[in-house]
Amino acid sequence: MLKKFIYFLILILNAGSLFANGGPVGWTDTTPVGAIALKDSENFTLKKETLKIKVLNLNEYSVDAVYELHGNKSEKIKFGVPLYWYDMDDDDDLNSSVNQVPSKKILASVQKISKSISIVVNGKKVRCSPVYRKAEFSLIRGADRKFGDIIFIKAWCTADLKLKSGSNQIYLQYRANMDFEDLQFSKSALTVFSERKLEYLLYPAGFWNQNVSELLVSVDPGIYDGFVTSVSPAKFKKIGQEYKWQGKNIDFKKLPSIEF
């Protein structure tokens, strides 16, 4: 009788998708599956980034990032936004065979996420195209030991940008999900809701030439105002409902992310 009461399955109802700052990327080999990785820019320096994050509902948030770049010469670069999402079925699909062609479900997920990303360069909208890395995942690695984690990127959304000599502005906008795992018991109506985590990676923008001269960040927790349990880094100041922070001469490789 005891086994009948304790034997049940636990299902993950939902989980998060993670986006990040965009940064310069390049091809690491010539294989058709798309070996894209972050690549140092020798010409363009990120002078200022204005980042606005707003929680929209229980699970989603919006990102508005404005990058002000300065270059010594005009150049065509590849700009990439790393995409990551968590889905148990997708992981089973990916791990079943290193040579397996991505399933229609995964490709549809990549297409859907890519279409939600808006990139505007010097007032002109640029299309972002998905690049899927099927077998050997693209990695973001921290150059500093303080950033020991490896973020597994399932795909990239890339765009070819024509940047001019002097000042340039890139406007990146999208919506994403917070990271969470809600549980539902198969033999009960009980649902357990986990804590929501908003993690935004600054690190990819650390591949522009030199440190970012100025960073302005504002995070609006929306309906979670008053329920934020931790903030990282601890430099944020709460003004009204928003959390604000202004930094100077920042190395994103040593300050890889924002977490709420």
Side-chain angles (χ1 to χ4, degrees), residues 28-237:
T28 59
D29 57 40
T30 58
T31 59
V33 295
I36 286 284
L38 288 159
K39 180 181 179 180
D40 287 314
S41 173
E42 297 179 357
N43 182 23
F44 290 95
T45 300
L46 181 56
K47 292 294 185 181
K48 182 179 180 181
E49 177 180 353
T50 303
L51 176 62
K52 295 182 179 180
I53 300 175
K54 180 178 176 61
V55 174
L56 302 174
N57 50 49
L58 289 172
N59 302 324
E60 294 181 299
Y61 63 93
S62 64
V63 172
D64 290 83
V66 179
Y67 311 103
E68 296 182 18
L69 301 169
H70 188 276
N72 295 320
K73 61 181 180 179
S74 60
E75 184 180 353
K76 184 177 180 179
I77 70 161
K78 190 170 289 291
F79 178 78
V81 180
L83 310 179
Y84 170 82
W85 67 98
Y86 181 77
D87 185 288
M88 291 185 70
D89 293 335
D90 285 357
D91 283 353
D92 291 340
D93 184 5
L94 287 167
N95 294 327
S96 60
S97 172
V98 294
N99 296 317
Q100 182 177 8
V101 176
S103 69
K104 292 182 179 179
K105 178 182 176 183
I106 294 177
L107 293 177
S109 296
V110 174
Q111 289 284 352
K112 182 179 180 181
I113 293 172
S114 297
K115 288 180 180 179
S116 70
I117 297 174
S118 174
I119 301 174
V120 177
V121 182
N122 295 328
K124 183 179 179 181
K125 191 167 185 179
V126 180
R127 183 179 179 183
C128 181
S129 300
V131 177
Y132 183 78
R133 183 73 165 128
K134 82 173 178 184
E136 183 183 343
F137 290 95
S138 298
L139 303 179
I140 294 180
R141 290 181 180 271
D144 192 273
R145 291 185 179 181
K146 295 178 181 178
F147 185 46
D149 296 335
I150 297 176
I151 306 298
F152 289 87
I153 304 303
K154 294 188 176 182
W156 291 84
C157 194
T158 66
D160 292 322
L161 308 185
K162 294 181 180 179
L163 300 180
K164 60 186 180 180
S165 175
S167 299
N168 296 266
Q169 185 183 84
I170 302 175
Y171 178 34
L172 175 65
Q173 185 180 40
Y174 56 77
R175 291 173 64 160
N177 289 333
M178 285 177 278
D179 187 22
F180 63 94
E181 293 181 359
D182 291 348
L183 304 180
Q184 185 178 49
F185 297 87
S186 62
K187 295 186 178 181
S188 169
L190 177 65
T191 300
V192 178
F193 297 95
S194 74
E195 182 179 69
R196 266 56 180 160
K197 180 181 179 181
L198 194 162
E199 181 177 12
Y200 186 82
L201 296 181
L202 299 169
Y203 181 74
F207 282 75
W208 299 109
N209 188 30
Q210 302 177 12
N211 294 347
V212 57
S213 300
E214 184 178 15
L215 173 65
L216 301 173
V217 185
S218 65
V219 179
D220 184 346
I223 60 174
Y224 290 112
D225 184 35
F227 296 94
V228 177
T229 58
S230 65
V231 176
S232 179
K235 300 175 182 178
F236 281 92
K237 292 183 179 180

